[in-house]
Amino acid sequence: KCRTGPLDIVFVIDSSRSVRPFEFETMRRFMMDIISNLDVGPNATRVGVIQYSSQVQNIFSLKTFFTRADMERAINSIVPLAQGTMTGLAIQYAMNVAFSTQEGARAPHKGIPRIAIIVTDGRPQDRVTEVATQARNAGIEIYAVGIQRADMSSLRAMASPPLEEHVFLVESFELIQQFAKQFQDKLCGVDMCVEREHGCQHSCISTPGSFYCECNPGYRLNGDGKTCSPIDACADGRHGCQHHCVSLRGSYSCRCRPGYYLSHNRKSCTMIDYCSFGNHSCQHECVSIPNGHYCRCRSGFTLQPDGKSCRATDLCNGVDHGCEFKCVSTEGTYHCVCPEGQQLQADGKTCSKCGAGHVDLVMVIDGSKSVRPQNFELVKQFVNRVVDLLEVSPQGTRVGLVQYSSRVRTEFPLNKYHSADEIKKAVMDVEYMEKGTMTGLALKHMVEHSFSELEGARPLSHNIPRIGLVFTDGRSQDDISEWARRAKESGIVMFAVGVGKAVEEELRAIASEPVEQHFSYSADFTTMTHLVENFSLNICPEEGKGKTEIRSPCECEALVQFQTNTVAILQSLTEKNILWARSLAQMTARLEDLEKQIANKK
């Protein structure tokens, strides 16, 4: 066998139509004879085969097979292309593709010879001189083997120098097998690893006229080119170990710090859960730490000297609670309380004697088509005059607005705006809905949504009065009784204002007790003077008439202030409407007088 060093050999076989079938079989035999005497393998000689005619076909590349048996099976399965003779195209493919590192060729710095064996029987149909020169300059040694009709000048143009060692012309296909042995002698040379004292610590690789040393896996070649050192796989920092990297021969392993164990991915570390052993005896919570555990109590409890049991903590004595009147400690927490008749403020700490007129007010206005646009503007003015007299703020009075017709629409909830100016602007931007009068549906929406804490109503425990003011001008097209009752049962103080065709029975059903103090009616929008009289009654027992149950002095004071402000607004709007009515009457009288004068002249 040929004991030369490793080679990268690519056979470039002519399978044009001039090569008859039995002649192509001889070429197969030629390739297999040469391969049979080579030391093939991934670290020895690698072999690839391409065939060409008018196109190039890769049979197998340098990285495909590493045994003679596999190579012979692939060669026996070749089907000739039987077309033209594009030899230059085949050389181009060999240079750019077959001898690329992607296809299995060893890197140039390793010094492994690259050999192309071109076997052809005719004259090329394309240019070969330039492309062959490029291939030789790229480090490819070209042997040109011509058979029978091959053009000698083309063979010489393709082959590497010296031409007498790289150009061969065989008279017939029958003689090519005999030629194979002579060609084999050209490839084989002296095994320099055997003939010389190479000094390689691990492996010696022979090349034509020289040799080089290689190291076993897990080692790298030292600067002397002969000895080998173990590779520190941890040194490059790419090991991915979470805690420690331990270098082995050419490899590494990960290890964890005490109190951790290596996870399934063999890189990350997980802390040992000592609490899961079930022997911690902690009364409340067990907390694992590296190399052990400790006990922890829930909020509001203190860990006892035994390090395991817990006892409730009086937070009122242990923290700066800030309560103005009194701190009440409960398990794990505390809360502030105020004296009877005073209410806890939004900060949860300070107390106030009364809400200073602060209420949660939702106005529900009728936007049905019977109201008409000009009257709807009067309603909006009424709403804004109410807002002008309120102390609007997140901690003071909050205002929400709902409009309804055949459907209900929240114009803005209680927590939408935090100043009077914002609310007034939003009111003026409200668009008139028109259509039907579904008062019952509006009351349902007010109870379920408008006075919910989600939309800004303060909790009932804060004793902030909830006031609903319903403004309508006609009979409801749905039942109002159930949701009017539910509104009052839920603690909402209901005022009902009716205009025009509003039904007194429905207004009374909406209004809170005493009814006479909580509903008003006017024949039209321009004659609402008597509404002032209806609002003049005070809802507090000591100042009004009848018996009224008031939940707290703060609620009474807030409702009185709201009622007083509302009365003032209605009075102002009524006065304006009276002036408009007087002006209209005067203009009508003048027109009648003018008509009489014209008639008399006739």
Side-chain angles (χ1 to χ4, degrees):
K1 288 198 183 285
C2 178
R3 298 302 303 172
T4 187
L7 306 171
D8 286 344
I9 299 177
V10 174
F11 289 95
V12 183
I13 304 301
D14 181 356
S15 65
S16 60
R17 66 174 62 93
S18 62
V19 179
R20 291 183 289 274
F22 75 91
E23 295 173 339
F24 193 80
E25 292 302 317
T26 306
M27 295 174 70
R28 288 187 213 267
R29 189 71 260 164
F30 168 71
M31 288 187 286
M32 288 190 288
D33 284 348
I34 293 178
I35 292 173
S36 65
N37 288 297
L38 295 175
D39 182 19
V40 297
N43 295 320
T45 294
R46 301 182 183 182
V47 178
V49 176
I50 61 175
Q51 67 166 335
Y52 73 93
S53 60
S54 298
Q55 58 187 350
V56 181
Q57 180 186 27
N58 181 52
I59 305 303
F60 58 87
S61 63
L62 292 168
K63 66 179 181 181
T64 306
F65 302 121
F66 297 112
T67 67
R68 298 185 190 86
D70 289 336
M71 295 177 185
E72 290 179 1
R73 275 192 294 271
I75 291 172
N76 283 326
S77 66
I78 299 174
V79 177
L81 299 173
Q83 296 175 355
T85 309
M86 302 295 286
T87 309
L89 181 65
I91 297 173
Q92 185 80 38
Y93 181 90
M95 176 176 62
N96 294 339
V97 179
F99 281 109
S100 67
T101 55
Q102 291 82 359
E103 291 298 307
R106 264 73 64 96
H109 72 270
K110 290 193 172 183
I112 307 254
R114 297 182 175 183
I115 297 175
I117 302 174
I118 303 173
V119 182
T120 180
D121 80 326
R123 181 188 296 274
Q125 295 176 337
D126 58 352
R127 296 181 178 179
V128 298
T129 303
E130 182 178 351
V131 69
T133 301
Q134 293 174 358
R136 293 193 301 268
N137 291 339
I140 301 173
E141 185 178 3
I142 300 177
Y143 287 88
V145 181
I147 303 174
Q148 286 186 340
R149 301 169 295 278
D151 178 57
M152 178 58 75
S153 61
S154 298
L155 297 177
R156 295 173 66 86
M158 291 186 286
S160 296
L163 296 180
E164 60 271 16
E165 295 183 7
H166 292 83
V167 177
F168 303 92
L169 183 61
V170 182
E171 296 179 356
S172 67
F173 280 94
E174 289 80 2
L175 298 175
I176 194 171
Q177 281 185 270
Q178 299 178 14
F179 164 74
K181 184 179 183 307
Q182 301 174 17
F183 187 77
Q184 181 68 40
D185 294 338
K186 295 289 183 181
L187 294 178
C188 292
V190 177
D191 188 343
M192 301 300 292
C193 290
V194 175
E195 298 296 326
R196 290 187 180 181
E197 183 63 35
H198 54 76
C200 296
Q201 182 178 355
H202 285 179
S203 301
C204 175
I205 307 298
S206 180
T207 61
S210 184
F211 68 92
Y212 65 92
C213 298
E214 280 191 353
C215 296
N216 296 335
Y219 293 81
R220 65 164 56 93
L221 195 64
N222 293 327
D224 60 7
K226 295 185 178 183
T227 60
C228 301
S229 298
I231 297 174
D232 184 359
C234 297
D236 59 8
R238 294 181 296 177
H239 48 79
C241 297
Q242 183 178 354
H243 286 180
H244 303 298
C245 176
V246 180
S247 183
L248 305 174
R249 290 184 178 180
S251 184
Y252 68 91
S253 66
C254 298
R255 292 182 184 175
C256 298
R257 294 193 294 268
Y260 294 81
Y261 64 89
L262 198 62
S263 302
H264 293 299
N265 62 10
R266 313 307 298 169
K267 292 188 177 184
S268 60
C269 298
T270 303
M271 189 173 68
I272 298 172
D273 184 4
Y274 290 96
C275 293
S276 65
F277 298 164
N279 58 354
H280 52 78
S281 301
C282 297
Q283 182 179 353
H284 283 184
E285 300 173 2
C286 175
V287 180
S288 284
I289 58 175
N291 296 324
H293 73 280
Y294 68 90
C295 296
R296 181 173 61 191
C297 296
R298 294 191 295 269
S299 177
F301 292 82
T302 303
L303 190 65
Q304 297 305 293
D306 63 3
K308 297 181 179 181
S309 58
C310 302
R311 179 176 296 175
T313 303
D314 184 357
L315 293 179
C316 289
N317 293 327
V319 298
D320 183 13
H321 51 76
C323 295
E324 179 181 338
F325 177 66
K326 184 179 180 180
C327 173
V328 178
S329 182
T330 57
E331 184 175 313
T333 185
Y334 70 92
H335 66 275
C336 301
V337 296
C338 294
E340 184 177 356
Q342 297 186 26
Q343 64 183 29
L344 193 66
Q345 296 300 286
D347 61 6
K349 296 183 178 182
T350 59
C351 302
S352 176
K353 290 183 179 180
C354 276
H358 298 165
V359 297
D360 285 343
L361 169 64
V362 175
M363 287 180 271
V364 183
I365 59 175
D366 186 348
S368 61
K369 62 182 178 182
S370 61
V371 174
R372 298 197 299 273
Q374 64 271 27
N375 291 331
F376 190 73
E377 292 301 314
L378 288 176
V379 175
K380 288 162 64 174
Q381 291 178 29
F382 168 75
V383 171
N384 276 350
R385 290 296 301 279
V386 172
V387 173
D388 278 334
L389 298 176
L390 297 175
E391 296 180 11
V392 178
S393 70
Q395 289 75 37
T397 291
R398 300 182 183 181
V399 179
L401 183 63
V402 174
Q403 184 185 175
Y404 72 96
S405 58
S406 298
R407 58 188 179 87
V408 183
R409 181 173 72 205
T410 297
E411 301 296 351
F412 52 85
L414 288 166
N415 57 5
K416 177 70 173 179
Y417 300 113
H418 304 311
S419 69
D421 289 340
E422 290 178 317
I423 293 175
K424 290 168 62 178
K425 182 180 183 303
V427 170
M428 298 310 297
D429 291 338
V430 171
E431 296 183 357
Y432 179 37
M433 294 176 70
E434 297 188 287
K435 298 187 179 178
T437 310
M438 303 293 285
T439 310
L441 183 63
L443 290 171
K444 180 177 184 292
H445 180 87
M446 180 191 71
V447 173
E448 292 185 338
H449 301 287
S450 301
F451 281 108
S452 67
E453 292 184 28
L454 182 64
E455 294 202 1
R458 277 142 316 177
L460 292 173
S461 61
H462 288 188
N463 290 327
I464 301 295
R466 295 182 174 184
I467 298 178
L469 176 60
V470 180
F471 205 106
T472 181
D473 85 324
R475 179 184 292 275
S476 177
Q477 295 173 339
D478 61 350
D479 179 61
I480 67 165
S481 59
E482 178 183 357
W483 287 102
R485 174 179 56 80
R486 290 196 186 186
K488 289 175 281 189
E489 288 176 351
S490 66
I492 303 172
V493 179
M494 297 297 299
F495 286 87
V497 178
V499 181
K501 297 180 181 180
V503 179
E504 181 176 346
E505 179 184 356
E506 292 184 353
L507 297 175
R508 288 178 172 274
I510 294 172
S512 293
E513 295 288 342
V515 173
E516 298 300 330
Q517 295 181 16
H518 292 83
F519 98 96
S520 299
Y521 172 79
S522 178
D524 59 57
F525 286 87
T526 61
T527 59
M528 297 191 296
T529 306
H530 70 279
L531 295 181
V532 177
E533 298 175 1
N534 290 341
F535 276 111
S536 65
L537 293 175
N538 199 310
I539 64 171
C540 288
E542 63 273 15
E543 300 180 17
K545 297 180 181 180
K547 295 181 179 180
T548 304
E549 293 184 0
I550 302 300
R551 288 179 298 185
S552 73
C554 298
E555 181 176 354
C556 177
E557 183 177 331
L559 293 176
V560 169
Q561 184 172 344
F562 171 72
Q563 188 181 61
T564 303
N565 294 343
T566 304
V567 167
I569 294 167
L570 290 174
Q571 179 69 55
S572 175
L573 291 175
T574 300
E575 291 173 356
K576 289 184 179 180
N577 290 330
I578 291 172
L579 291 175
W580 291 342
R582 287 176 180 173
S583 298
L584 181 61
Q586 291 174 358
M587 187 177 292
T588 302
R590 290 180 181 176
L591 288 174
E592 290 176 353
D593 184 54
L594 183 60
E595 288 176 355
K596 289 178 182 180
Q597 293 178 15
I598 294 172
N600 291 335
K601 288 182 179 181
K602 291 182 177 180

